[in-house]
Amino acid sequence: MSKVALVTGASRGIGRAIALRLAADGYSVGVNYASSAAKAEEVVAEIVAAGGSAVAIRADVADADEVNAMFATISEELGSVTVLVNNAGITDDGLLLRMNADQWDRVIATNLRSVYLCTKAALRGMIRAKGGRIISVSSVSGISGNPGQANYAASKAGVIGFTKSTAKEVGSRGITVNAVAPGFIATDMTDALGEEVTEAATHQISLGRLGSPEEVASVVGYLASDEASYITGQTIVVDGGLAL
């Protein structure tokens, strides 16, 4: 079976690290992005320079037509997707009483609807191949909640429930479905929170530091490997002890 991975939201941060890790593990990688074309092409160039194979693909993963077109492109250029990593995600924070419906809908669409659409598209090929890996990036916010993030926490909790249900549906087809729940990881998203917020968060983390995107990517790499063939329906928390 060919080794083809699709990573959504792969132009930077955790998605970028996952794409590079899977490429290093021998996968041809579809690098999905929504708006950061230059950044996505940089990821592709880095993979190719290391001797790998990759293609950048723009698609709004909350749009069904664009998702289907993306999978058709990947199938044509790289082959059928054997590992799907649902990583694309956004935040649009605010206290619930001040949160408007657009804030709610946009976060749910990008973070949860996308997981449904991409997983459904990937399963068609995986069922024919009688195997595959689906790995979705959730968050500790989806487990413990977070003030000002009702929309984000709900979307990430939804990813966990979706993961468990889908794992039960497709396990008999040789397909595993798991989630990874990062805590505070040093990315552009956390940089935007400011030094004061980051420092306060660090004090709550047992290991006393933020995590790196590569530390999340290593867990995704494991779940995609043959070594994780008997793990499904699980959510692995990668948070340095934040949620303890």
Side-chain angles (χ1 to χ4, degrees):
M1 183 187 294
S2 60
K3 295 176 66 174
V4 179
L6 168 62
V7 184
T8 67
S11 63
R12 54 189 178 177
I14 292 173
R16 175 184 180 278
I18 292 170
L20 294 175
R21 168 58 189 259
L22 292 177
D25 289 344
Y27 288 87
S28 296
V29 182
V31 178
N32 163 257
Y33 68 96
S35 58
S36 304
K39 293 288 186 182
E41 291 294 352
E42 286 177 10
V43 177
V44 169
E46 189 168 343
I47 290 172
V48 171
S53 174
V55 60
I57 305 173
R58 199 214 74 79
D60 176 357
V61 288
D63 183 286
D65 290 339
E66 293 193 22
V67 166
N68 289 332
M70 173 175 64
F71 273 85
T73 299
I74 291 174
S75 181
E76 182 179 331
E77 297 196 20
L78 300 178
S80 184
V81 172
T82 55
V83 172
L84 167 66
V85 182
N86 291 305
N87 169 74
I90 61 169
T91 58
D92 194 348
D93 298 347
L95 295 174
L96 184 60
L97 288 175
R98 297 176 183 173
M99 184 180 293
N100 60 49
D102 286 343
Q103 285 176 282
W104 176 270
D105 291 343
R106 198 163 71 91
V107 170
I108 295 296
T110 302
N111 297 5
L112 184 56
R113 175 181 165 85
S114 66
V115 175
Y116 151 70
L117 290 174
C118 291
T119 299
K120 186 176 180 180
L123 281 176
R124 298 184 186 110
M126 291 180 182
I127 288 172
R128 284 194 297 270
K130 298 180 180 178
R133 299 277 192 271
I134 295 167
I135 304 157
S136 298
V137 178
S138 179
S139 169
V140 292
S141 293
I143 297 171
S144 58
N146 206 25
Q149 287 194 319
N151 51 1
Y152 183 77
S155 70
K156 293 303 188 178
V159 168
I160 293 172
F162 178 91
T163 294
K164 292 179 179 180
S165 294
T166 307
K168 290 184 176 182
E169 288 187 20
V170 302
S172 63
R173 307 300 184 98
I175 302 165
T176 66
V177 189
N178 292 289
V180 176
F184 265 91
I185 307 298
T187 65
D188 292 346
M189 192 179 289
T190 53
D191 288 345
L193 296 174
E195 188 176 336
E196 186 175 332
V197 174
T198 301
E199 190 173 324
T202 302
H203 288 309
Q204 300 175 47
I205 299 170
S206 297
L207 294 181
R209 63 174 178 84
L210 301 189
S212 72
E214 290 73 21
E215 287 173 310
V216 179
S218 67
V219 177
V220 174
Y222 169 69
L223 290 173
S225 74
D226 290 341
E227 293 179 325
S229 58
Y230 203 57
I231 299 173
T232 195
Q234 303 304 306
T235 299
I236 299 180
V237 178
V238 187
D239 73 342
L242 173 64
L244 290 175

